[in-house]
Amino acid sequence: RYSSNFLRIGRQLAALADLNDFDFRQSIFELENAMGIVQHHDAITGTNKEYVKSDYIRRLSKGIDETWNVIKNSLYSLFKLPYLNIEFCPLLNISSCNAIENKDNFYTIIYNPLGREIEAWIRLPVKIEEKSFYKVKFKFSLIYKLTNKYSYL
């Protein structure tokens, strides 16, 4: 499911940013190809050999890395902010994100790839040295004007 969501986001943002370059399409194809391979019945049921499972994981990881580059370039293009260092936090399921843990200030982009509004908790790992309660200051801004012009999609 994670890989499928990542692929959807990559496709959508590349389309919104109008990235039609062959390299970008090839990068997304890496994940599409891996997703097709892991649909094999042995991968789904878990009856494959260990080395085959390792190959599936390697292919998915490479595809996600390639698609992340497409997502990053799409965001640079859409927001016209090439000087920002956009990083991805793949380990949020264990509450770890090296990109923000030791930062005093950071920005977060939250993207909903669905065609409808959703309510969801946003969890960000923030390192706090003190053992007492600590207030985290934040500012929340909605940037939906970008996709609003594509509301017919």
Side-chain angles (χ1 to χ4, degrees), residues 12 27 30 68 73 76 79 101 104 117 123 132 138:
Q12 287 176 355
S27 295
E30 291 285 338
W68 167 239
N73 284 305
Y76 287 142
F79 292 111
E101 282 181 355
D104 291 331
E117 289 185 14
R123 297 180 307 131
S132 63
F138 67 92

Side-chain angles (χ1 to χ4, degrees), residues 105-118:
N105 297 303
F106 60 88
Y107 295 93
T108 302
I109 298 172
I110 300 166
Y111 176 72
N112 174 13
L114 302 176
R116 59 181 168 77
E117 289 185 14
I118 61 168

Side-chain angles (χ1 to χ4, degrees), residues 39-69:
Q39 297 303 312
H40 188 270
H41 65 89
D42 284 338
I44 294 171
T45 61
T47 57
N48 52 337
K49 304 261 187 217
E50 189 67 30
Y51 72 92
V52 176
K53 181 175 94 175
S54 296
D55 184 57
Y56 290 158
I57 292 169
R58 182 190 59 77
R59 287 173 185 264
L60 283 173
S61 179
K62 182 180 179 198
I64 287 171
D65 289 345
E66 292 289 327
T67 303
W68 167 239
N69 288 328

